[in-house]
Amino acid sequence: MENTTYGNKNVGEVRIADDVVAVIAGIAAMEVEGIASMAGNITKDIISKISGKSLAKGVKVEMEENNVVVCLAINVRYGYNVPATSKKIQEKVKSSVENMTGLKVRKVNISIAGVVVEN
């Protein structure tokens, strides 16, 4: 939550929902080469089909005031270096969330859920 001021006058508050941060993080992660898909649990998969929130699949966001911790579950393409790809994801997600929301990203945790072999 952040107060918005115009001149010397406080004009209100801006609140960013966890789902908004999750979608930004999911899109940013998918832009990194070597990512096959986001991984999610069955409940989230069903919810995404019903609500169209598939962009936040496999993303968990924890917010404390203006600090954010993002946890991602991903599937990596076979043949890509997992530590190097994970580092790129962490950098991309941190940069995207901070630039688009003004929030401070404390951590980007990544869980490798699987490896995808493409034919």
Side-chain angles (χ1 to χ4, degrees):
M1 179 171 48
E2 188 173 309
N3 284 322
T4 306
T5 57
Y6 182 75
N8 293 332
K9 194 178 195 181
N10 185 348
V11 293
E13 296 178 344
V14 175
R15 294 179 189 224
I16 300 171
D18 292 3
D19 285 349
V20 172
V21 176
V23 169
I24 293 168
I27 292 170
M30 288 304 299
E31 290 177 351
V32 175
E33 188 177 345
I35 299 304
S37 63
M38 300 299 292
N41 61 32
I42 294 171
T43 307
K44 280 190 180 181
D45 288 345
I46 293 168
I47 291 169
S48 72
K49 287 177 184 169
I50 295 168
S51 68
K53 292 186 178 181
S54 62
L55 294 173
K57 176 180 160 184
V59 183
K60 179 181 170 196
V61 174
E62 298 171 10
M63 283 211 250
E64 293 179 11
E65 296 187 20
N66 287 340
N67 291 313
V68 180
V69 175
V70 180
C71 301
L72 299 127
I74 60 168
N75 294 311
V76 179
R77 288 192 174 130
Y78 178 78
Y80 283 83
N81 181 296
V82 173
T85 303
S86 297
K87 184 169 177 49
K88 288 178 188 174
I89 294 167
Q90 288 171 317
E91 291 168 354
K92 180 74 173 174
V93 168
K94 182 179 188 317
S95 171
S96 294
V97 170
E98 287 182 347
N99 288 335
M100 293 181 75
T101 66
L103 299 170
K104 175 74 177 146
V105 177
R106 258 189 331 116
K107 290 182 185 177
V108 177
N109 299 319
I110 298 179
S111 297
I112 307 300
V115 175
V116 176
V117 180
E118 297 177 295
N119 295 332

